[in-house]
Amino acid sequence: MKKFLLLAAMMVALCASAQSYSLVGYINGADYGCYNDADNPGTYLFENGKLTATFNQVSYVFVKLSDNSKWFLTQNYVDFTGNSATATMVNGQNYSEKMRVPGNKEVTFTLTEVDENTITLTASVAPEPMTACFMKHNWGGGGDDSWTWKEATKVEGTDGFTLQEVYGGSGVNVNSAASDAGAKWFAEPTVGGDVAVGDLCVFTYFEGQDYVRIDKVVPTAINDINVTATKAYKTIENGQVIIVKDNVRYNVMGQPMK
């Protein structure tokens, strides 16, 4: 008898833990899975704590158990900051608000159980591709005054941005504007083995892989690519900056490539 009761209790606990979570709320301009539409379990179901959805307009969401036994809401409206938002949602009194999510963007939701009446919901969208890139560095190895923003040039057909400047020996800030607000800090950029403070270098930010590479510029026949008769151009192959001039491919060191 005791074994039977224990087994029954385990089954109840297992069923409770297996209860599925649904994303509901004021979605695409109407109540969805809540209030007058509460009997609708919805199609926005979490699997292993993950859900991806795209709404056609700004929507206001919360989470419920699919059997309507618990509704998890926020105490105050939660909005995106940048490309993400995180909210603590509770099944309890004084929790009646939602998370605001953008429309016409793919949103990834991550649900984490805190306890039986509390969850954490995180929502994020992919950042928009950069259309401009600025870098900040102690150019030339100077003091505080040398830390200035400089605009990098887009390498057409790639996600890379480059500029030529004198290496100062420190990390690099990267931002889509010449501003410290929201800038990324790369304390240890990938630096070519022969680069020293004071060297003229190519600084490259690879947005897709999110890293900065610094390579020394070596004077060669293509050193002044801006005044020679045939225009040179840059491209990126396998994460490496390539300069092409007169159908000859050079690395950033100015050395011909086979």
Side-chain angles (χ1 to χ4, degrees):
M1 185 64 178
K2 289 183 178 180
K3 290 184 178 179
F4 174 78
L5 293 175
L6 179 60
L7 180 61
M10 291 175 61
M11 291 298 294
V12 170
L14 182 61
C15 289
S17 65
Q19 179 64 253
S20 59
Y21 290 95
S22 298
L23 189 78
V24 296
Y26 189 74
I27 296 174
N28 296 332
D31 285 344
Y32 185 85
C34 62
Y35 310 120
N36 293 331
D37 192 41
D39 290 337
N40 175 17
T43 58
Y44 301 113
L45 303 177
F46 287 86
E47 293 186 10
N48 298 318
K50 294 287 187 179
L51 167 67
T52 300
T54 301
F55 308 129
N56 60 31
Q57 59 183 275
V58 172
S59 297
Y60 299 83
V61 302
F62 64 98
V63 175
K64 74 173 185 178
L65 292 181
S66 299
D67 65 359
N68 284 324
S69 61
K70 293 183 180 181
W71 291 23
F72 300 84
L73 295 104
T74 61
Q75 196 163 29
N76 300 293
Y77 271 112
V78 175
D79 209 340
F80 267 55
T81 301
N83 296 310
S84 65
T86 299
T88 297
M89 294 187 167
V90 176
N91 172 57
Q93 294 181 348
N94 302 321
Y95 289 82
S96 59
E97 301 298 354
K98 309 169 186 68
M99 175 188 288
R100 178 184 181 277
V101 296
N104 300 308
K105 291 186 176 183
E106 184 176 85
V107 183
T108 299
F109 297 92
T110 302
L111 183 153
T112 303
E113 294 178 325
V114 178
D115 58 42
E116 62 181 7
N117 287 308
T118 308
I119 63 170
T120 299
L121 183 68
T122 299
S124 62
V125 297
E128 297 290 337
M130 294 176 71
T131 57
C133 177
F134 294 80
M135 300 186 196
K136 186 177 182 180
H137 179 70
N138 63 328
W139 311 111
D144 291 344
D145 292 343
S146 67
W147 286 91
T148 57
W149 287 101
K150 294 183 182 291
E151 186 171 10
T153 301
K154 175 74 171 178
V155 180
E156 293 302 324
T158 76
D159 67 350
F161 294 83
T162 68
L163 65 80
Q164 284 193 20
E165 260 298 344
V166 179
Y167 180 58
S170 295
V172 180
N173 279 301
V174 175
N175 205 352
S176 58
S179 170
D180 292 346
K184 291 184 176 182
W185 169 243
F186 295 88
E188 297 181 357
T190 302
V191 181
D194 58 345
V195 172
V197 173
D199 287 341
L200 179 64
C201 293
V202 174
F203 291 70
T204 306
Y205 171 59
F206 299 89
E207 183 182 10
Q209 301 173 63
D210 198 31
Y211 80 99
V212 174
R213 182 175 179 85
I214 303 172
D215 293 285
K216 183 177 179 180
V217 175
V218 177
T220 67
I222 65 162
N223 187 47
D224 190 358
I225 64 174
N226 295 314
V227 298
T228 50
T230 303
K231 186 177 180 180
Y233 65 90
K234 295 177 184 177
T235 186
I236 294 177
E237 298 177 7
N238 299 321
Q240 182 179 6
V241 177
I242 306 297
I243 302 172
V244 181
K245 181 180 182 297
D246 294 330
N247 294 321
V248 179
R249 297 162 68 251
Y250 301 84
N251 60 24
V252 292
M253 312 273 301
Q255 299 168 336
M257 299 179 64
K258 295 182 180 180

PDB file of all heavy atoms in Angstrom, residues 169-207:
ATOM      1  N   GLY A 169      48.771  49.606 -28.376  1.00  0.00           N
ATOM      2  CA  GLY A 169      49.064  48.612 -27.358  1.00  0.00           C
ATOM      3  C   GLY A 169      47.927  48.255 -26.430  1.00  0.00           C
ATOM      4  O   GLY A 169      48.103  47.412 -25.545  1.00  0.00           O
ATOM      5  N   SER A 170      46.748  48.862 -26.600  1.00  0.00           N
ATOM      6  CA  SER A 170      45.623  48.573 -25.711  1.00  0.00           C
ATOM      7  C   SER A 170      44.490  47.895 -26.460  1.00  0.00           C
ATOM      8  O   SER A 170      44.627  47.553 -27.639  1.00  0.00           O
ATOM      9  CB  SER A 170      45.127  49.872 -25.059  1.00  0.00           C
ATOM     10  OG  SER A 170      46.111  50.430 -24.220  1.00  0.00           O
ATOM     11  N   GLY A 171      43.363  47.718 -25.771  1.00  0.00           N
ATOM     12  CA  GLY A 171      42.182  47.138 -26.392  1.00  0.00           C
ATOM     13  C   GLY A 171      41.489  48.132 -27.306  1.00  0.00           C
ATOM     14  O   GLY A 171      41.966  49.257 -27.518  1.00  0.00           O
ATOM     15  N   VAL A 172      40.349  47.716 -27.828  1.00  0.00           N
ATOM     16  CA  VAL A 172      39.622  48.533 -28.807  1.00  0.00           C
ATOM     17  C   VAL A 172      38.141  48.573 -28.438  1.00  0.00           C
ATOM     18  O   VAL A 172      37.540  47.547 -28.130  1.00  0.00           O
ATOM     19  CB  VAL A 172      39.773  47.957 -30.233  1.00  0.00           C
ATOM     20  CG1 VAL A 172      39.021  48.809 -31.242  1.00  0.00           C
ATOM     21  CG2 VAL A 172      41.248  47.845 -30.613  1.00  0.00           C
ATOM     22  N   ASN A 173      37.573  49.777 -28.473  1.00  0.00           N
ATOM     23  CA  ASN A 173      36.126  49.945 -28.378  1.00  0.00           C
ATOM     24  C   ASN A 173      35.547  49.961 -29.785  1.00  0.00           C
ATOM     25  O   ASN A 173      36.163  50.522 -30.709  1.00  0.00           O
ATOM     26  CB  ASN A 173      35.761  51.259 -27.687  1.00  0.00           C
ATOM     27  CG  ASN A 173      35.844  51.171 -26.179  1.00  0.00           C
ATOM     28  OD1 ASN A 173      35.173  50.356 -25.571  1.00  0.00           O
ATOM     29  ND2 ASN A 173      36.674  52.011 -25.574  1.00  0.00           N
ATOM     30  N   VAL A 174      34.356  49.377 -29.950  1.00  0.00           N
ATOM     31  CA  VAL A 174      33.670  49.373 -31.241  1.00  0.00           C
ATOM     32  C   VAL A 174      32.221  49.796 -31.022  1.00  0.00           C
ATOM     33  O   VAL A 174      31.571  49.346 -30.069  1.00  0.00           O
ATOM     34  CB  VAL A 174      33.708  47.970 -31.899  1.00  0.00           C
ATOM     35  CG1 VAL A 174      32.875  47.944 -33.180  1.00  0.00           C
ATOM     36  CG2 VAL A 174      35.153  47.573 -32.207  1.00  0.00           C
ATOM     37  N   ASN A 175      31.731  50.660 -31.907  1.00  0.00           N
ATOM     38  CA  ASN A 175      30.342  51.093 -31.813  1.00  0.00           C
ATOM     39  C   ASN A 175      29.851  51.503 -33.196  1.00  0.00           C
ATOM     40  O   ASN A 175      30.648  51.744 -34.104  1.00  0.00           O
ATOM     41  CB  ASN A 175      30.202  52.265 -30.841  1.00  0.00           C
ATOM     42  CG  ASN A 175      28.819  52.365 -30.233  1.00  0.00           C
ATOM     43  OD1 ASN A 175      27.906  51.640 -30.642  1.00  0.00           O
ATOM     44  ND2 ASN A 175      28.647  53.257 -29.274  1.00  0.00           N
ATOM     45  N   SER A 176      28.534  51.583 -33.345  1.00  0.00           N
ATOM     46  CA  SER A 176      27.948  52.010 -34.612  1.00  0.00           C
ATOM     47  C   SER A 176      27.915  53.525 -34.731  1.00  0.00           C
ATOM     48  O   SER A 176      27.522  54.062 -35.769  1.00  0.00           O
ATOM     49  CB  SER A 176      26.527  51.449 -34.753  1.00  0.00           C
ATOM     50  OG  SER A 176      25.715  51.870 -33.673  1.00  0.00           O
ATOM     51  N   ALA A 177      28.313  54.221 -33.681  1.00  0.00           N
ATOM     52  CA  ALA A 177      28.416  55.682 -33.688  1.00  0.00           C
ATOM     53  C   ALA A 177      29.634  56.071 -32.862  1.00  0.00           C
ATOM     54  O   ALA A 177      30.146  55.276 -32.064  1.00  0.00           O
ATOM     55  CB  ALA A 177      27.148  56.316 -33.111  1.00  0.00           C
ATOM     56  N   ALA A 178      30.098  57.290 -33.043  1.00  0.00           N
ATOM     57  CA  ALA A 178      31.268  57.761 -32.308  1.00  0.00           C
ATOM     58  C   ALA A 178      30.850  58.158 -30.894  1.00  0.00           C
ATOM     59  O   ALA A 178      30.865  59.336 -30.513  1.00  0.00           O
ATOM     60  CB  ALA A 178      31.919  58.926 -33.036  1.00  0.00           C
ATOM     61  N   SER A 179      30.462  57.164 -30.112  1.00  0.00           N
ATOM     62  CA  SER A 179      29.925  57.404 -28.777  1.00  0.00           C
ATOM     63  C   SER A 179      30.316  56.279 -27.843  1.00  0.00           C
ATOM     64  O   SER A 179      30.339  55.105 -28.236  1.00  0.00           O
ATOM     65  CB  SER A 179      28.397  57.523 -28.843  1.00  0.00           C
ATOM     66  OG  SER A 179      27.834  57.537 -27.549  1.00  0.00           O
ATOM     67  N   ASP A 180      30.581  56.616 -26.587  1.00  0.00           N
ATOM     68  CA  ASP A 180      30.887  55.588 -25.585  1.00  0.00           C
ATOM     69  C   ASP A 180      29.640  54.800 -25.185  1.00  0.00           C
ATOM     70  O   ASP A 180      29.743  53.664 -24.722  1.00  0.00           O
ATOM     71  CB  ASP A 180      31.487  56.232 -24.331  1.00  0.00           C
ATOM     72  CG  ASP A 180      32.877  56.814 -24.577  1.00  0.00           C
ATOM     73  OD1 ASP A 180      33.472  56.490 -25.617  1.00  0.00           O
ATOM     74  OD2 ASP A 180      33.352  57.588 -23.731  1.00  0.00           O
ATOM     75  N   ALA A 181      28.453  55.401 -25.362  1.00  0.00           N
ATOM     76  CA  ALA A 181      27.211  54.751 -24.956  1.00  0.00           C
ATOM     77  C   ALA A 181      26.944  53.520 -25.816  1.00  0.00           C
ATOM     78  O   ALA A 181      26.841  53.613 -27.041  1.00  0.00           O
ATOM     79  CB  ALA A 181      26.037  55.723 -25.069  1.00  0.00           C
ATOM     80  N   GLY A 182      26.849  52.371 -25.171  1.00  0.00           N
ATOM     81  CA  GLY A 182      26.561  51.136 -25.894  1.00  0.00           C
ATOM     82  C   GLY A 182      27.737  50.530 -26.626  1.00  0.00           C
ATOM     83  O   GLY A 182      27.570  49.552 -27.370  1.00  0.00           O
ATOM     84  N   ALA A 183      28.930  51.067 -26.441  1.00  0.00           N
ATOM     85  CA  ALA A 183      30.099  50.551 -27.159  1.00  0.00           C
ATOM     86  C   ALA A 183      30.530  49.198 -26.604  1.00  0.00           C
ATOM     87  O   ALA A 183      30.366  48.902 -25.416  1.00  0.00           O
ATOM     88  CB  ALA A 183      31.253  51.538 -27.060  1.00  0.00           C
ATOM     89  N   LYS A 184      31.086  48.356 -27.484  1.00  0.00           N
ATOM     90  CA  LYS A 184      31.655  47.079 -27.071  1.00  0.00           C
ATOM     91  C   LYS A 184      33.140  47.264 -26.798  1.00  0.00           C
ATOM     92  O   LYS A 184      33.838  47.964 -27.531  1.00  0.00           O
ATOM     93  CB  LYS A 184      31.473  46.024 -28.161  1.00  0.00           C
ATOM     94  CG  LYS A 184      30.048  45.578 -28.382  1.00  0.00           C
ATOM     95  CD  LYS A 184      29.995  44.464 -29.412  1.00  0.00           C
ATOM     96  CE  LYS A 184      28.582  43.933 -29.590  1.00  0.00           C
ATOM     97  NZ  LYS A 184      28.543  42.817 -30.566  1.00  0.00           N
ATOM     98  N   TRP A 185      33.621  46.602 -25.752  1.00  0.00           N
ATOM     99  CA  TRP A 185      35.029  46.697 -25.382  1.00  0.00           C
ATOM    100  C   TRP A 185      35.700  45.359 -25.656  1.00  0.00           C
ATOM    101  O   TRP A 185      35.279  44.323 -25.145  1.00  0.00           O
ATOM    102  CB  TRP A 185      35.161  47.066 -23.920  1.00  0.00           C
ATOM    103  CG  TRP A 185      36.554  46.947 -23.351  1.00  0.00           C
ATOM    104  CD1 TRP A 185      36.977  46.124 -22.345  1.00  0.00           C
ATOM    105  CD2 TRP A 185      37.722  47.689 -23.747  1.00  0.00           C
ATOM    106  NE1 TRP A 185      38.301  46.301 -22.090  1.00  0.00           N
ATOM    107  CE2 TRP A 185      38.803  47.250 -22.940  1.00  0.00           C
ATOM    108  CE3 TRP A 185      37.950  48.668 -24.721  1.00  0.00           C
ATOM    109  CZ2 TRP A 185      40.088  47.763 -23.064  1.00  0.00           C
ATOM    110  CZ3 TRP A 185      39.248  49.184 -24.839  1.00  0.00           C
ATOM    111  CH2 TRP A 185      40.289  48.736 -24.021  1.00  0.00           C
ATOM    112  N   PHE A 186      36.743  45.396 -26.494  1.00  0.00           N
ATOM    113  CA  PHE A 186      37.540  44.204 -26.796  1.00  0.00           C
ATOM    114  C   PHE A 186      38.897  44.387 -26.116  1.00  0.00           C
ATOM    115  O   PHE A 186      39.789  45.047 -26.651  1.00  0.00           O
ATOM    116  CB  PHE A 186      37.689  44.031 -28.311  1.00  0.00           C
ATOM    117  CG  PHE A 186      36.374  43.763 -29.011  1.00  0.00           C
ATOM    118  CD1 PHE A 186      35.585  44.815 -29.446  1.00  0.00           C
ATOM    119  CD2 PHE A 186      35.928  42.470 -29.202  1.00  0.00           C
ATOM    120  CE1 PHE A 186      34.373  44.574 -30.078  1.00  0.00           C
ATOM    121  CE2 PHE A 186      34.716  42.210 -29.825  1.00  0.00           C
ATOM    122  CZ  PHE A 186      33.937  43.274 -30.260  1.00  0.00           C
ATOM    123  N   ALA A 187      39.006  43.815 -24.929  1.00  0.00           N
ATOM    124  CA  ALA A 187      40.220  44.006 -24.132  1.00  0.00           C
ATOM    125  C   ALA A 187      41.425  43.319 -24.759  1.00  0.00           C
ATOM    126  O   ALA A 187      42.555  43.792 -24.621  1.00  0.00           O
ATOM    127  CB  ALA A 187      40.002  43.483 -22.707  1.00  0.00           C
ATOM    128  N   GLU A 188      41.188  42.199 -25.446  1.00  0.00           N
ATOM    129  CA  GLU A 188      42.288  41.440 -26.040  1.00  0.00           C
ATOM    130  C   GLU A 188      41.976  41.130 -27.500  1.00  0.00           C
ATOM    131  O   GLU A 188      41.624  39.993 -27.847  1.00  0.00           O
ATOM    132  CB  GLU A 188      42.524  40.155 -25.253  1.00  0.00           C
ATOM    133  CG  GLU A 188      42.945  40.392 -23.810  1.00  0.00           C
ATOM    134  CD  GLU A 188      43.206  39.104 -23.057  1.00  0.00           C
ATOM    135  OE1 GLU A 188      43.008  38.016 -23.642  1.00  0.00           O
ATOM    136  OE2 GLU A 188      43.634  39.174 -21.887  1.00  0.00           O
ATOM    137  N   PRO A 189      42.092  42.127 -28.377  1.00  0.00           N
ATOM    138  CA  PRO A 189      41.881  41.848 -29.798  1.00  0.00           C
ATOM    139  C   PRO A 189      42.939  40.875 -30.314  1.00  0.00           C
ATOM    140  O   PRO A 189      43.998  40.707 -29.696  1.00  0.00           O
ATOM    141  CB  PRO A 189      42.023  43.234 -30.449  1.00  0.00           C
ATOM    142  CG  PRO A 189      42.858  44.023 -29.490  1.00  0.00           C
ATOM    143  CD  PRO A 189      42.505  43.520 -28.121  1.00  0.00           C
ATOM    144  N   THR A 190      42.647  40.229 -31.431  1.00  0.00           N
ATOM    145  CA  THR A 190      43.617  39.327 -32.051  1.00  0.00           C
ATOM    146  C   THR A 190      44.681  40.167 -32.742  1.00  0.00           C
ATOM    147  O   THR A 190      44.391  40.890 -33.700  1.00  0.00           O
ATOM    148  CB  THR A 190      42.927  38.405 -33.066  1.00  0.00           C
ATOM    149  OG1 THR A 190      41.898  37.670 -32.402  1.00  0.00           O
ATOM    150  CG2 THR A 190      43.933  37.440 -33.689  1.00  0.00           C
ATOM    151  N   VAL A 191      45.917  40.091 -32.258  1.00  0.00           N
ATOM    152  CA  VAL A 191      47.000  40.944 -32.752  1.00  0.00           C
ATOM    153  C   VAL A 191      48.047  40.087 -33.446  1.00  0.00           C
ATOM    154  O   VAL A 191      48.474  39.057 -32.908  1.00  0.00           O
ATOM    155  CB  VAL A 191      47.652  41.735 -31.594  1.00  0.00           C
ATOM    156  CG1 VAL A 191      48.775  42.634 -32.122  1.00  0.00           C
ATOM    157  CG2 VAL A 191      46.600  42.572 -30.868  1.00  0.00           C
ATOM    158  N   GLY A 192      48.450  40.499 -34.654  1.00  0.00           N
ATOM    159  CA  GLY A 192      49.498  39.789 -35.388  1.00  0.00           C
ATOM    160  C   GLY A 192      50.779  39.698 -34.566  1.00  0.00           C
ATOM    161  O   GLY A 192      51.106  40.605 -33.786  1.00  0.00           O
ATOM    162  N   GLY A 193      51.513  38.601 -34.743  1.00  0.00           N
ATOM    163  CA  GLY A 193      52.661  38.329 -33.898  1.00  0.00           C
ATOM    164  C   GLY A 193      53.777  39.350 -33.968  1.00  0.00           C
ATOM    165  O   GLY A 193      54.542  39.495 -33.015  1.00  0.00           O
ATOM    166  N   ASP A 194      53.901  40.082 -35.074  1.00  0.00           N
ATOM    167  CA  ASP A 194      55.006  41.033 -35.209  1.00  0.00           C
ATOM    168  C   ASP A 194      54.560  42.469 -34.998  1.00  0.00           C
ATOM    169  O   ASP A 194      55.292  43.407 -35.326  1.00  0.00           O
ATOM    170  CB  ASP A 194      55.663  40.890 -36.580  1.00  0.00           C
ATOM    171  CG  ASP A 194      54.677  41.117 -37.715  1.00  0.00           C
ATOM    172  OD1 ASP A 194      53.460  41.108 -37.449  1.00  0.00           O
ATOM    173  OD2 ASP A 194      55.132  41.298 -38.863  1.00  0.00           O
ATOM    174  N   VAL A 195      53.376  42.685 -34.459  1.00  0.00           N
ATOM    175  CA  VAL A 195      52.868  44.042 -34.237  1.00  0.00           C
ATOM    176  C   VAL A 195      53.460  44.608 -32.953  1.00  0.00           C
ATOM    177  O   VAL A 195      53.486  43.949 -31.916  1.00  0.00           O
ATOM    178  CB  VAL A 195      51.327  44.040 -34.148  1.00  0.00           C
ATOM    179  CG1 VAL A 195      50.822  45.415 -33.732  1.00  0.00           C
ATOM    180  CG2 VAL A 195      50.730  43.644 -35.490  1.00  0.00           C
ATOM    181  N   ALA A 196      53.934  45.852 -33.032  1.00  0.00           N
ATOM    182  CA  ALA A 196      54.478  46.547 -31.863  1.00  0.00           C
ATOM    183  C   ALA A 196      53.861  47.935 -31.778  1.00  0.00           C
ATOM    184  O   ALA A 196      53.363  48.475 -32.778  1.00  0.00           O
ATOM    185  CB  ALA A 196      56.007  46.656 -31.972  1.00  0.00           C
ATOM    186  N   VAL A 197      53.884  48.503 -30.598  1.00  0.00           N
ATOM    187  CA  VAL A 197      53.367  49.854 -30.407  1.00  0.00           C
ATOM    188  C   VAL A 197      54.107  50.803 -31.358  1.00  0.00           C
ATOM    189  O   VAL A 197      55.331  50.767 -31.463  1.00  0.00           O
ATOM    190  CB  VAL A 197      53.554  50.305 -28.943  1.00  0.00           C
ATOM    191  CG1 VAL A 197      53.169  51.772 -28.777  1.00  0.00           C
ATOM    192  CG2 VAL A 197      52.716  49.429 -28.018  1.00  0.00           C
ATOM    193  N   GLY A 198      53.353  51.624 -32.042  1.00  0.00           N
ATOM    194  CA  GLY A 198      53.935  52.559 -33.004  1.00  0.00           C
ATOM    195  C   GLY A 198      53.866  52.088 -34.436  1.00  0.00           C
ATOM    196  O   GLY A 198      54.151  52.866 -35.360  1.00  0.00           O
ATOM    197  N   ASP A 199      53.488  50.819 -34.668  1.00  0.00           N
ATOM    198  CA  ASP A 199      53.373  50.295 -36.032  1.00  0.00           C
ATOM    199  C   ASP A 199      52.076  50.763 -36.681  1.00  0.00           C
ATOM    200  O   ASP A 199      51.020  50.820 -36.033  1.00  0.00           O
ATOM    201  CB  ASP A 199      53.383  48.760 -36.031  1.00  0.00           C
ATOM    202  CG  ASP A 199      54.754  48.184 -35.745  1.00  0.00           C
ATOM    203  OD1 ASP A 199      55.748  48.911 -35.901  1.00  0.00           O
ATOM    204  OD2 ASP A 199      54.818  46.998 -35.345  1.00  0.00           O
ATOM    205  N   LEU A 200      52.148  51.065 -37.970  1.00  0.00           N
ATOM    206  CA  LEU A 200      50.947  51.319 -38.753  1.00  0.00           C
ATOM    207  C   LEU A 200      50.264  49.982 -38.996  1.00  0.00           C
ATOM    208  O   LEU A 200      50.892  49.037 -39.478  1.00  0.00           O
ATOM    209  CB  LEU A 200      51.296  51.981 -40.084  1.00  0.00           C
ATOM    210  CG  LEU A 200      50.106  52.284 -41.011  1.00  0.00           C
ATOM    211  CD1 LEU A 200      49.179  53.310 -40.375  1.00  0.00           C
ATOM    212  CD2 LEU A 200      50.600  52.768 -42.379  1.00  0.00           C
ATOM    213  N   CYS A 201      48.998  49.904 -38.644  1.00  0.00           N
ATOM    214  CA  CYS A 201      48.294  48.625 -38.693  1.00  0.00           C
ATOM    215  C   CYS A 201      46.928  48.763 -39.345  1.00  0.00           C
ATOM    216  O   CYS A 201      46.365  49.858 -39.439  1.00  0.00           O
ATOM    217  CB  CYS A 201      48.109  48.050 -37.287  1.00  0.00           C
ATOM    218  SG  CYS A 201      49.642  47.570 -36.473  1.00  0.00           S
ATOM    219  N   VAL A 202      46.390  47.624 -39.781  1.00  0.00           N
ATOM    220  CA  VAL A 202      45.008  47.527 -40.228  1.00  0.00           C
ATOM    221  C   VAL A 202      44.188  46.974 -39.060  1.00  0.00           C
ATOM    222  O   VAL A 202      44.459  45.883 -38.566  1.00  0.00           O
ATOM    223  CB  VAL A 202      44.873  46.607 -41.454  1.00  0.00           C
ATOM    224  CG1 VAL A 202      43.403  46.407 -41.806  1.00  0.00           C
ATOM    225  CG2 VAL A 202      45.626  47.186 -42.638  1.00  0.00           C
ATOM    226  N   PHE A 203      43.228  47.755 -38.619  1.00  0.00           N
ATOM    227  CA  PHE A 203      42.291  47.332 -37.581  1.00  0.00           C
ATOM    228  C   PHE A 203      41.018  46.856 -38.276  1.00  0.00           C
ATOM    229  O   PHE A 203      40.414  47.612 -39.051  1.00  0.00           O
ATOM    230  CB  PHE A 203      41.947  48.492 -36.648  1.00  0.00           C
ATOM    231  CG  PHE A 203      43.073  48.951 -35.767  1.00  0.00           C
ATOM    232  CD1 PHE A 203      44.169  49.614 -36.291  1.00  0.00           C
ATOM    233  CD2 PHE A 203      43.030  48.731 -34.396  1.00  0.00           C
ATOM    234  CE1 PHE A 203      45.200  50.049 -35.484  1.00  0.00           C
ATOM    235  CE2 PHE A 203      44.059  49.159 -33.570  1.00  0.00           C
ATOM    236  CZ  PHE A 203      45.154  49.823 -34.114  1.00  0.00           C
ATOM    237  N   THR A 204      40.596  45.634 -38.032  1.00  0.00           N
ATOM    238  CA  THR A 204      39.406  45.086 -38.680  1.00  0.00           C
ATOM    239  C   THR A 204      38.443  44.558 -37.627  1.00  0.00           C
ATOM    240  O   THR A 204      38.835  43.797 -36.741  1.00  0.00           O
ATOM    241  CB  THR A 204      39.766  43.931 -39.635  1.00  0.00           C
ATOM    242  OG1 THR A 204      40.754  44.380 -40.571  1.00  0.00           O
ATOM    243  CG2 THR A 204      38.526  43.473 -40.409  1.00  0.00           C
ATOM    244  N   TYR A 205      37.189  45.006 -37.730  1.00  0.00           N
ATOM    245  CA  TYR A 205      36.135  44.463 -36.869  1.00  0.00           C
ATOM    246  C   TYR A 205      35.246  43.566 -37.708  1.00  0.00           C
ATOM    247  O   TYR A 205      34.688  43.991 -38.719  1.00  0.00           O
ATOM    248  CB  TYR A 205      35.296  45.582 -36.246  1.00  0.00           C
ATOM    249  CG  TYR A 205      34.063  45.050 -35.518  1.00  0.00           C
ATOM    250  CD1 TYR A 205      34.205  44.155 -34.459  1.00  0.00           C
ATOM    251  CD2 TYR A 205      32.780  45.426 -35.897  1.00  0.00           C
ATOM    252  CE1 TYR A 205      33.092  43.650 -33.793  1.00  0.00           C
ATOM    253  CE2 TYR A 205      31.664  44.932 -35.238  1.00  0.00           C
ATOM    254  CZ  TYR A 205      31.817  44.051 -34.191  1.00  0.00           C
ATOM    255  OH  TYR A 205      30.723  43.553 -33.551  1.00  0.00           O
ATOM    256  N   PHE A 206      35.125  42.292 -37.301  1.00  0.00           N
ATOM    257  CA  PHE A 206      34.260  41.327 -37.975  1.00  0.00           C
ATOM    258  C   PHE A 206      32.960  41.232 -37.175  1.00  0.00           C
ATOM    259  O   PHE A 206      32.935  40.649 -36.086  1.00  0.00           O
ATOM    260  CB  PHE A 206      34.941  39.958 -38.052  1.00  0.00           C
ATOM    261  CG  PHE A 206      36.229  39.961 -38.833  1.00  0.00           C
ATOM    262  CD1 PHE A 206      37.444  40.223 -38.216  1.00  0.00           C
ATOM    263  CD2 PHE A 206      36.228  39.714 -40.200  1.00  0.00           C
ATOM    264  CE1 PHE A 206      38.627  40.220 -38.940  1.00  0.00           C
ATOM    265  CE2 PHE A 206      37.414  39.701 -40.927  1.00  0.00           C
ATOM    266  CZ  PHE A 206      38.607  39.968 -40.300  1.00  0.00           C
ATOM    267  N   GLU A 207      31.883  41.812 -37.712  1.00  0.00           N
ATOM    268  CA  GLU A 207      30.637  41.884 -36.956  1.00  0.00           C
ATOM    269  C   GLU A 207      30.034  40.505 -36.700  1.00  0.00           C
ATOM    270  O   GLU A 207      29.580  40.214 -35.594  1.00  0.00           O
ATOM    271  CB  GLU A 207      29.624  42.762 -37.697  1.00  0.00           C
ATOM    272  CG  GLU A 207      28.323  42.941 -36.944  1.00  0.00           C
ATOM    273  CD  GLU A 207      27.310  43.777 -37.696  1.00  0.00           C
ATOM    274  OE1 GLU A 207      27.537  44.067 -38.892  1.00  0.00           O
ATOM    275  OE2 GLU A 207      26.276  44.111 -37.093  1.00  0.00           O
TER     276      GLU A 207
END
